[in-house]
């Protein structure tokens, strides 16, 4: 096809404009990651603007210092700044325990607890939407026939739930002691705590009697398991329940052990991820999957601490927060929050929870 000069003159500006737009898009595409990298490289101590995923949020199901064992909710968009829901009141009076939530293979949420450590039953609740919970069933562990656990007390401490996508099974963990405390040596009770577990496909059928999760002889409580993000296997987050001393400097700290399968074997745990006298750890992945946030309580109900790492293998460091000085804080939590578990939720679920249980006024 032949074009005269006037036709060519009309086409040339359109081609030039199109080329300009393509060049602009290319430059913008190259500049975006550079700008993101520059934003991430803030000077030490400088304020950062946390990333917020527009489609995601977090729920913290917990108890409080004033009402131990009762279910309360707090929520966050960035995993760092938390706000109580329901005006600071409990979201249900039916539940009792140390809240631990797992999402099952049917898409529903399962909550575990018990009436007290002396309660012989572990109790489950279920919810379609995290707004309303209904009783689901109970499990009575046979503590008298746990291999390698002599003289167990009838004690079930802080049961926790994890659903393993790979095996399509729930892992239920808790701690049981073998030695009663006495006034002259109250810590011997805590030093005798051992982590037990049982597996179930549906929280109705359970595989055999409970077993010890760790074959080493060390006091552990508040244990839960997550997939290892650095390769195959799983990582167990534990509280080292020995009392701290010069001979046992990791006592009453949060530690981690990673093994090849869901049930181990797990080697002796690594170094402390928290200061001493911390417990009830809970773990979430930061928005954008850049970091891990490991929260833990300075008991009893004093404050929550936070450690942060890019991978479960580390390196870990402790983040400044709840200091009372806004310029120093990199995370904030309402006062008086106690044991519980954090889970990721969608923005739609977040909006539904805030609508059902309006946020508490700032205090």
């Amino acid at each position: 096809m032949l074009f005269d000069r006037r036709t060519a003159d009309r086409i040339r500006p359109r081609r030039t404009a199109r080329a300009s737009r393509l060049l602009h898009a290319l430059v913008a595409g190259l500049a975006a990651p550079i700008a993101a990298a520059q934003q991430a490289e803030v000077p030490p101590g400088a304020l950062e603007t946390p990333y917020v995923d527009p489609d995601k949020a977090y729920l913290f199901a917990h108890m409080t210092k004033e009402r131990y064992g009762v279910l309360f909710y707090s929520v966050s968009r960035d995993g760092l700044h938390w706000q109580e829901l329901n005006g600071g009141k409990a979201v249900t009076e039916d539940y009792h325990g140390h809240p631990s939530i797992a999402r099952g293979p049917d898409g529903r949420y399962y909550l575990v607890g018990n009436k007290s450590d002396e309660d012989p039953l572990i109790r489950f609740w279920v919810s379609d939407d995290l707004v309303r919970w209904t009783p689901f069933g109970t499990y009575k562990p046979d503590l008298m026939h746990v291999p390698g656990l002599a003289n167990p007390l009838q004690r079930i401490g802080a049961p926790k739930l994890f659903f393993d996508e790979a095996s399509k099974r729930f892992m239920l963990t808790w701690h049981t002691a073998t030695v009663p405390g006495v006034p002259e040596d109250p810590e011997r009770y805590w030093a005798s705590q051992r982590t037990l577990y049982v597996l179930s496909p549906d929280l109705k059928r359970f595989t055999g009697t409970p077993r010890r999760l760790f074959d080493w002889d060390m006091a552990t409580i508040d244990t839960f398991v997550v997939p290892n993000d650095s390769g195959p296997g799983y990582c167990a987050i534990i509280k080292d329940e020995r009392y701290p001393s010069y001979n046992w400097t990791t006592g009453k700290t949060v530690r981690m052990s990673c093994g090849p399968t869901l049930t181990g074997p797990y080697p002796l745990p690594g170094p402390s991820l928290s200061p001493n006298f911390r417990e009830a750890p809970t773990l979430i992945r930061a928005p954008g999957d850049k970091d891990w946030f490991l929260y833990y309580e300075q008991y009893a109900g004093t404050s929550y601490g936070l450690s942060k790492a890019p991978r479960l293998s580390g390196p870990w460091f402790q983040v400044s927060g709840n200091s009372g000085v806004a310029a120093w804080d990199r995370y904030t939590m309402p006062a008086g929050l106690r044991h519980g578990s954090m889970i990721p939720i969608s923005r739609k679920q977040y909006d539904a929870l805030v609508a059902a249980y309006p946020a508490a006024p700032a205090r």
Side-chain angles (χ1 to χ4, degrees):
M1 181 181 293
L2 299 176
F3 295 94
D4 59 21
R5 182 179 298 277
R6 286 175 299 177
T7 302
D9 289 342
R10 287 196 303 269
I11 292 174
R12 188 178 295 110
R14 289 201 295 269
R15 288 179 173 173
T16 303
R18 186 180 301 114
S20 178
R21 288 195 298 270
L22 289 173
L23 180 61
H24 177 77
L26 177 62
V27 172
L30 293 172
I34 297 173
Q38 291 173 339
Q39 184 179 9
E41 296 173 359
V42 297
L47 289 173
E48 299 180 49
T49 301
Y51 172 67
V52 175
D53 188 316
D55 299 320
K56 297 180 181 179
Y58 300 91
L59 169 65
F60 185 21
H62 59 86
M63 56 178 111
T64 67
K65 189 172 185 178
E66 292 78 13
R67 300 198 65 194
Y68 191 88
V70 181
L71 183 62
F72 293 77
Y73 278 173
S74 293
V75 291
S76 173
R77 291 299 317 285
D78 60 10
L80 294 170
H81 300 89
W82 297 86
Q83 188 174 29
E84 289 179 282
L85 294 186
N86 204 34
K89 302 189 294 286
V91 297
T92 177
E93 296 292 339
D94 181 50
Y95 173 83
H96 194 280
H98 293 207
S100 174
I101 298 174
R103 193 170 193 179
D106 56 1
R108 297 194 295 175
Y109 293 89
Y110 293 86
L111 172 67
V112 64
N114 56 358
K115 291 183 177 179
S116 68
D117 285 6
E118 293 87 358
D119 187 354
L121 298 178
I122 296 176
R123 302 167 189 271
F124 306 107
W125 288 257
V126 66
S127 175
D128 294 319
D129 56 9
L130 296 168
V131 176
R132 299 286 182 265
W133 293 96
T134 57
F136 181 75
T138 61
Y139 167 64
K140 186 177 182 179
D142 180 5
L143 298 179
M144 297 301 109
H145 297 92
V146 177
L149 189 71
N151 306 312
L153 303 182
Q154 183 53 60
R155 304 280 292 181
I156 299 171
K160 299 185 184 301
L161 270 182
F162 165 67
F163 180 73
D164 179 39
E165 289 285 351
S167 65
K168 302 301 179 185
R169 293 181 295 177
F170 289 93
M171 172 178 269
L172 173 64
T173 58
W174 69 90
H175 49 267
T176 290
T178 60
V179 178
V182 293
E184 61 271 22
D185 187 6
E187 277 298 318
R188 73 177 196 169
Y189 168 81
W190 295 106
S192 75
Q193 299 282 355
R194 298 296 183 268
T195 295
L196 308 182
Y197 78 91
V198 71
L199 303 175
S200 171
D202 53 12
L203 301 181
K204 295 290 187 181
R205 298 166 293 161
F206 295 87
T207 56
T209 59
R211 304 184 69 87
R212 290 182 58 174
L213 186 56
F214 311 120
D215 59 11
W216 20 273
D217 197 27
M218 191 184 98
T220 57
I221 70 169
D222 293 348
T223 299
F224 65 90
V225 174
V226 296
N228 191 342
D229 64 348
S230 296
Y234 297 79
C235 294
I237 314 300
I238 68 166
K239 181 196 175 187
D240 179 341
E241 191 55 356
R242 283 285 299 268
Y243 202 85
S245 67
Y246 290 131
N247 294 324
W248 199 271
T249 57
T250 59
K252 310 294 186 185
T253 70
V254 176
R255 302 172 68 188
M256 185 187 306
S257 173
C258 298
T261 74
L262 180 63
T263 58
Y266 289 96
L268 283 168
S272 299
L273 306 180
S274 76
N276 300 99
F277 297 101
R278 303 299 192 273
E279 64 182 4
T282 184
L283 183 73
I284 54 174
R285 195 66 160 149
D289 296 334
K290 180 183 175 182
D291 297 300
W292 288 101
F293 293 158
L294 176 67
Y295 283 92
Y296 37 79
E297 179 194 329
Q298 180 183 353
Y299 53 94
T302 300
S303 180
Y304 259 85
L306 170 63
S307 290
K308 175 179 173 181
R311 298 168 301 281
L312 291 175
S313 58
W316 290 90
F317 70 89
Q318 295 160 33
V319 181
S320 175
N322 286 344
S323 68
V325 181
W328 298 348
D329 288 342
R330 298 299 177 265
Y331 71 96
T332 56
M333 301 186 76
L337 272 56
R338 297 213 62 190
H339 305 15
S341 65
M342 296 175 180
I343 62 170
I345 58 176
S346 68
R347 177 61 190 270
K348 183 178 179 180
Q349 291 172 312
Y350 171 91
D351 291 339
L353 286 170
V354 172
Y357 302 113
R363 59 173 179 168

